[in-house]
Amino acid sequence: MKRGAPACAYLATRVAQAVFVLWAAYTLSFLILYILPSDPISIMLNQGDGLADPVQVAALRAAYHLDEPLLAQYGIALGNALRLDLGNSIQTGQPVTAMLAQAAPATAALALSALGAALVLGVALALAASAASAGGTPRLRQLLHSLPSLGVCLPTFWIGLLLLQWFSFGLPLFPAMGNEGWRSLALPAATLAVPTAATVAQVLLRSLEGVWRQPFVHALRAKGLTRVRLLLVHVLPNAAIPLLTMAGVIMGNLLAGSVVTETVFSREGIGRLAQSAVAVKDIPVVQGVVVLAAAVFVAINLAVDLAYPLLDARITRERGRALA
């Protein structure tokens, strides 16, 4: 029981932090959308010039609780959200949860495809740069070390437009838009994968350089282990652990990048849903997208925190000493 109590306290603390992040994301999005100058009801009625029927406007504002004071609106919305009811879209009248459930699979397929490609490209680039640091020419070493920084700086929309020009309009290998089949997924996934792969390569390369200088690596090298065996069996697994810390940030970047990518490639998904909702100030939908993105970020970071002790024995040993 003595050993289990601190673990339960740690889990409870992390869950409480996750709940706080979700609440903060919901509250901030609510306040920001509330203070925007435009009126969603007028936009919905296509009467932004104020010519809408006052009776109809009043009825709709009452239906969406927009005639209530700020605190009353917030309390009603938060109470519904706690029951997993994010309300109905002002633009379409559909339940927000249903709209998110319909759009999420396409975005999930895009994000996971981009993540897989980014991990392959990023790890390969980091390994190549690490090998060049040991025995490559100075120019090759400088080139490989510069590529991650260059990839991070490239705007997502610019990458997408280039890929469209090269592989859709120039060489008609992939469709320029749509959600039909893997071919329509290739270019959007590549667009998101390039900056993500650069981030992975930056983090992994810096970690590889640090692990190579560790005493245990020198000891294993003195025992006659080849550099390739050292890299694949001992150095890479230890260097990959910091990537877990970046998991939440990477997925957050993928979700944020999907807004631009799905717009460039005219794909249906969470990104297009958010873009159209922001354009008409559809408060329930925008809040639903924000809460969903925050939930993904929180869930990934919570999973990483719980997985760390299983992947790094040093953390388990430190906790054992603290509990002794």
Side-chain angles (χ1 to χ4, degrees):
M1 294 295 294
K2 291 183 179 180
R3 291 182 178 271
C8 292
Y10 172 77
L11 178 60
T13 301
R14 296 300 299 148
V15 171
Q17 290 175 349
V19 172
F20 174 79
V21 171
L22 289 175
W23 169 81
Y26 187 89
T27 302
L28 288 176
S29 64
F30 181 90
L31 293 175
I32 291 173
L33 291 169
Y34 179 84
I35 64 177
L36 290 178
S38 57
D39 182 9
I41 299 300
S42 297
I43 295 175
M44 180 181 66
L45 296 175
N46 295 319
Q47 296 288 342
D49 52 4
L51 299 179
D53 183 2
V55 176
Q56 187 180 10
V57 171
L60 287 173
R61 290 183 65 83
Y64 288 96
H65 305 288
L66 297 178
D67 57 342
E68 302 280 352
L70 173 60
L71 289 180
Q73 290 186 42
Y74 175 73
I76 294 172
L78 183 60
N80 292 334
L82 292 176
R83 297 192 296 270
L84 301 182
D85 179 10
L86 298 176
N88 297 329
S89 168
I90 295 177
Q91 184 179 15
T92 66
Q94 296 178 337
V96 174
T97 51
M99 296 175 68
L100 293 175
Q102 183 178 4
T107 300
L110 173 60
L112 292 176
S113 300
L115 179 62
L119 288 176
V120 173
L121 293 174
V123 171
L125 180 57
L127 293 178
S130 179
S133 298
T137 62
R139 287 187 177 181
L140 178 61
R141 181 166 59 251
Q142 183 178 5
L143 173 64
L144 292 176
H145 280 256
S146 300
L147 285 178
S149 299
L150 176 62
V152 171
C153 296
L154 295 178
T156 302
F157 74 91
W158 185 77
I159 298 173
L161 292 176
L162 277 184
L163 292 178
L164 277 175
Q165 182 64 37
W166 292 343
F167 299 108
S168 185
F169 303 139
L171 299 174
L173 300 177
F174 301 99
M177 59 185 66
N179 291 60
E180 300 298 329
W182 68 268
R183 294 180 69 249
S184 66
L185 186 63
L187 293 184
T191 299
L192 282 179
V194 170
T196 305
T199 301
V200 170
Q202 274 188 327
V203 175
L204 184 58
L205 179 57
R206 191 175 298 113
S207 183
L208 283 170
E209 293 174 345
V211 174
W212 275 117
R213 294 192 291 267
Q214 294 295 319
F216 80 91
V217 175
H218 297 297
L220 291 173
R221 183 179 293 174
K223 291 182 179 180
L225 269 70
T226 63
R227 183 177 178 86
V228 174
R229 181 175 176 80
L230 272 174
L231 175 63
L232 298 180
V233 178
H234 300 282
V235 175
L236 182 58
N238 284 278
I241 291 177
L243 279 177
L244 286 175
T245 308
M246 298 289 296
V249 176
I250 290 174
M251 288 305 299
N253 290 337
L254 288 174
L255 289 175
S258 69
V259 177
V260 177
T261 304
E262 289 176 353
T263 301
V264 170
F265 290 93
S266 298
R267 287 181 57 86
E268 298 298 327
I270 296 294
R272 286 288 298 277
L273 182 64
Q275 184 267 337
S276 62
V278 169
V280 297
K281 198 185 175 186
D282 197 337
I283 295 176
V285 176
V286 175
Q287 284 187 302
V289 172
V290 171
V291 171
L292 177 62
V296 171
F297 179 84
V298 165
I300 292 174
N301 279 280
L302 181 60
V304 168
D305 287 340
L306 298 180
Y308 251 128
L310 302 178
L311 299 174
D312 193 343
R314 292 171 295 182
I315 298 177
T316 304
R317 288 196 296 268
E318 289 296 328
R319 287 189 179 176
R321 294 192 190 102
L323 295 174

